[in-house]
Amino acid sequence: MPEPKTMFDRIWDDHLVRSYPDGTDLLYIDRHLLHEVMSPQAFQGLHDTGRHVRRPEATFAVSDHNVPTLPEHRFEIPNAASRLQVETMAANAREHGIDYFGLGDERQGIIHVVAPEQGLILPGMTVVCGDSHTSTHGAFGAIAFGIGTSEIEHVLATQTLRQKKPRQMRISLSGHLPDWVTEKDVALAVIAQISTAGATGHMIEYAGDTVSRMSLSGRMTLCNMAIESGARCGLIAPDRKVFEYLKSRPRLASNPEALEAAMDSWSHLASDPEARFDNAVALDVTELEPMVTWGTSPEHTIPITGRIPHSAGTERALSYTGLSAGQSLDDLPIDTVFIGSCTNGRIEDLRLAAEIVRGRHVSDKVRALVVPGSGLVRAQAEREGLSEIFVRAGFEWREAGCSMCLGMNEDRLSPGERCASTSNRNFEGRQGPGGITHLMSPAMAAAAAIEGRVTDVRRLMGARS
Amino acid sequence: MEPVRTIDGIAAPLPDRNIDTDQIIPASYLSTVTRTGLGAGLFHARRYDEHGNTKADFVLNKTPWNGASIIVAGDNFGCGSSREHAPWALKDFGIRCIIAPSFGDIFRNNCTKNGILTAAVETRLADHLMAVARNPSSCRFQVDLNNQTIRAKGKTYDFSVDEADKNWLLSGLDEISLSLRDSDRIDAYEQSWRAAAPWRFA
Ligand code: SF4
């Protein structure tokens, strides 16, 4: 009998160009995603060495991190350095023949929302991007991981990467998610359980009946945050839902026969039942509650009904967020709400938030932003009447981009400002110098906007009918 | 890249866990199209107050650690974002080696590509080395990559390093040039997989 294999083994082996004596492998890369912040120095490197882009048609670019989300600033970026980066991205794409969605294009948005939306990510692929949240694309059964700028240059020049195979961890999730508890809460609960370094040096395969029931959007949220537990990538076995998702995508809709043929090979990707993992973690989500972070690391997470633990080494985090051990987060006043990012900026996230906001009004103490993950998500939300719900409730309805997830553009917290955010990192200063971030789901962030405080969405909404 | 063999210099203690790349270099410094000049932004929020004045109590602002070439820190150093600006900023400041119990994976890779050694030691040894580095009279360390040793206050300690990272640092070779020597294999790989899995090339 052949040695049982994991899905990760299979995809890795299929991409092996060669192995080196030092234990690294030269891996073929199928999709290379670019954005304006991490790539300029890589193109400069190519230019300096007289090298060219090996497969421009496998490469794809957007501007997302640095772009203004205020409609009136879209075409005249006020900040000169940001403008130069966006212009440099456009120029590099043009020079090297790379598809690029710029600011005038409705398909522009956060790279990790746009690439799946366009049908660029397929099961069994290898996908890289100079961005740690590339792990998102593991939701399709692709090995997808973030790389640095030197590695971007390497992929541009060779369409390969020299990598060491990571160790493998399986996280098994079982049970039905309770009302108003989302994939974001699962992601935070996993990190709280294994810590932000718990999966360092590993990839994570998410498995179990909870994962099978999740939508593609929910799976993307889960894989997106794999990096927050130290894993470079998350991976989920592709199933019918993936195939259904792909059928309607721009890249694929024109060629249904090719898709049908590919589906056959994709259905053999899943890990063998006897496959060995280096580590295994199990979590039953049946009793899971909405989760909120209290500190400056995603592992600083508690259920909304919980209290900040007394644990060693958290003094710095607590002093930064102005909280104390033993305190509850329920009822904590906030100044700002940010709904968006590659974690929770898809149409499903906006629908969930709108469900809570409908017929209510944002607290008059709160500045609340909805930033769709892409122009297409934005257009869809407008068609469905979601934007109207948000605007009527007092939210700002913005253009697509990374926005307040990392505070590179104008959307930033001021020192001391406290934010309920659907993004993925609550690091010191992440959303703006001195700003304080509480990570939570779109449902919890929407409830916080209404109440002006961190609150239990289940109390506001009651049982789901 | 220059080969890295030994680092002899001042070690600065940063006794925190999970020092993320947003702390190492905040987003406001990422709007650049070059790799240079980022040292000014290194640990920005910890080095400067809101008016841009240096904070006297931060270790990298104090003599002799303002001339540090080594950092000793808690575990999971460099977690978070893939920004290579973090090692660029460290290198620009003069850092050549980071000693910690563990590192963010992408950060560790990025360091290697930029000639910065990430030396892993057990938590208790990291704590001890931080205590030694805190004293100006014993903060000069010698790190020997080939032998994988740290010499501090007259004693020698071992560290571990990824074998491939070690080879790269010692060789100083250009990875892209090396991989391009395998162009024929890459061509052959593409050819066979274009036939076997055309959807990957669509
Ligand atoms: S939304 Fe945030 S996490 Fe996602 S790519 Fe943009 S900056 Fe990174």
Side-chain angles (χ1 to χ4, degrees), chain A residues 14-15 18 20 22 24 28 30-31 38 41 51 54-55 66 81 85 122-123 130-132 146-151 153-154 160 162 164 196-197 200-201 230 232 251 262 266 299 316 406 408 425 427 430, chain B residues 16-18 20 22 27 30-35 46 76 80-85 88 103 105-106 109-110 113 162 164 167-168 174-177 179-180 182 185-187 189-190 193-194 199-202:
Chain A
D14 281 355
H15 287 80
R18 66 164 295 185
Y20 295 98
D22 68 356
T24 58
Y28 193 78
D30 294 319
R31 284 281 187 265
M38 303 300 166
Q41 296 86 350
R51 291 172 181 144
R54 184 180 166 99
R55 278 194 67 210
N66 229 328
Q85 258 188 349
L122 305 179
D131 191 284
S132 57
I147 57 178
T149 301
S150 299
E151 291 176 312
E153 189 178 335
H154 191 283
T160 65
R162 192 163 168 157
K164 190 168 166 184
T196 46
T200 300
R232 278 182 90 179
R251 274 273 171 134
W266 297 340
E299 73 188 22
R316 184 183 167 88
L406 89 164
M408 270 197 84
R425 288 189 174 140
F427 298 159
R430 169 76 179 184
Chain B
D16 292 303
R17 303 180 51 223
N18 297 328
D20 57 74
D22 278 77
L30 306 186
S31 299
T32 170
V33 294
T34 65
R35 297 172 193 246
R46 302 177 74 163
N76 206 21
S81 149
S82 65
R83 57 189 71 168
E84 200 160 315
H85 307 67
W88 294 338
F103 301 91
D105 279 333
I106 307 178
N109 264 331
N110 285 341
K113 312 276 187 240
D162 182 90
N167 291 338
W168 280 113
D174 169 35
E175 193 178 328
I176 301 181
S177 311
S179 298
L180 283 171
D182 280 317
R185 295 198 202 213
I186 302 172
D187 290 343
Y189 175 92
E190 269 176 358
W193 281 93
R194 253 181 219 281
W199 46 271
R200 275 175 48 197
F201 296 84

Side-chain angles (χ1 to χ4, degrees), chain B residues 72-172:
Chain B
V72 196
D75 73 308
N76 206 21
F77 188 95
C79 60
S81 149
S82 65
R83 57 189 71 168
E84 200 160 315
H85 307 67
W88 294 338
L90 286 161
K91 193 157 186 193
D92 199 41
F93 184 88
I95 301 300
R96 296 288 176 271
C97 170
I98 301 157
I99 303 169
S102 66
F103 301 91
D105 279 333
I106 307 178
F107 174 79
R108 185 174 52 71
N109 264 331
N110 285 341
C111 280
T112 304
K113 312 276 187 240
N114 288 281
I116 298 174
L117 166 64
T118 50
V121 296
E122 283 184 7
T123 305
R124 279 165 56 197
L125 178 53
D127 290 344
H128 173 68
L129 291 173
M130 281 190 258
V132 174
R134 213 166 285 138
N135 188 334
S137 67
S138 59
C139 69
R140 191 171 191 110
F141 290 11
Q142 286 81 35
V143 180
D144 179 332
L145 174 55
N146 199 31
N147 294 315
Q148 294 185 214
T149 57
I150 299 163
R151 195 153 173 82
K153 207 180 167 185
K155 290 213 172 67
T156 303
Y157 308 92
D158 294 338
F159 67 85
S160 56
V161 58
D162 182 90
E163 195 58 31
D165 287 347
K166 179 177 176 176
N167 291 338
W168 280 113
L169 289 167
L170 288 173
S171 74

Side-chain angles (χ1 to χ4, degrees), chain A residues 14 193 208 277 285 420:
Chain A
D14 281 355
Q193 183 169 334
F277 286 81
V285 304

Side-chain angles (χ1 to χ4, degrees), chain B residues 1 8 27 45 47 51 62 110 136 140 159 163:
Chain B
M1 199 180 81
D8 180 344
R47 259 164 86 205
H51 309 295
K62 290 193 276 197
N110 285 341
R140 191 171 191 110
F159 67 85
E163 195 58 31

Side-chain angles (χ1 to χ4, degrees), chain A residues 65 110 112 131 133 341-342 402 405-406 424 430:
Chain A
H65 282 62
I110 305 167
H112 308 308
D131 191 284
H133 292 97
S341 87
C342 59
C402 294
C405 175
L406 89 164
N424 44 51
R430 169 76 179 184

